[in-house]
Amino acid sequence: MAPNSEAEFSGDEERVRVLREIAEDVYGDSSESRQLSAILYRVSDLYDDAGDTSPEEIYLNVRHIMNIKEQGGLRR
């Protein structure tokens, strides 16, 4: 676990907007671009006042995505 895993992330609408804009830009046809887009969107949730997530939840979500990818995807 990272030393600052208990750090709080205050709302930052501009950061949310930029991260989600980048997520939309990188979303493409490849599964890798879609995964990166999903990760960026989840990270943006840290800075969204309406969101309720933590770095640990994002880590677990990303790890789950990578495990699915490693196993050949959802539609094996």
Side-chain angles (χ1 to χ4, degrees):
M1 194 173 289
N4 294 329
S5 64
E6 298 299 319
E8 295 206 14
F9 295 83
S10 52
D12 185 338
E13 291 181 28
E14 178 65 13
R15 187 169 288 179
V16 171
R17 185 191 64 75
V18 169
L19 284 168
R20 291 179 181 176
E21 186 176 291
I22 294 169
E24 289 176 21
D25 285 346
V26 300
Y27 187 89
D29 293 334
S30 72
S31 63
E32 290 83 5
S33 68
R34 290 180 184 161
Q35 289 169 1
L36 179 56
S37 178
I39 291 166
L40 287 168
Y41 203 93
R42 290 291 292 152
V43 169
S44 77
D45 289 343
L46 285 173
Y47 302 97
D48 188 348
D49 285 332
D52 184 26
T53 192
S54 70
E56 290 82 7
E57 290 172 315
I58 293 171
Y59 167 77
L60 292 173
N61 186 247
V62 170
R63 187 174 73 176
H64 179 69
I65 291 169
M66 296 304 180
N67 285 339
I68 289 171
K69 173 71 174 169
E70 184 177 296
Q71 295 170 6
L74 292 174
R75 296 184 239 156
R76 288 189 287 155

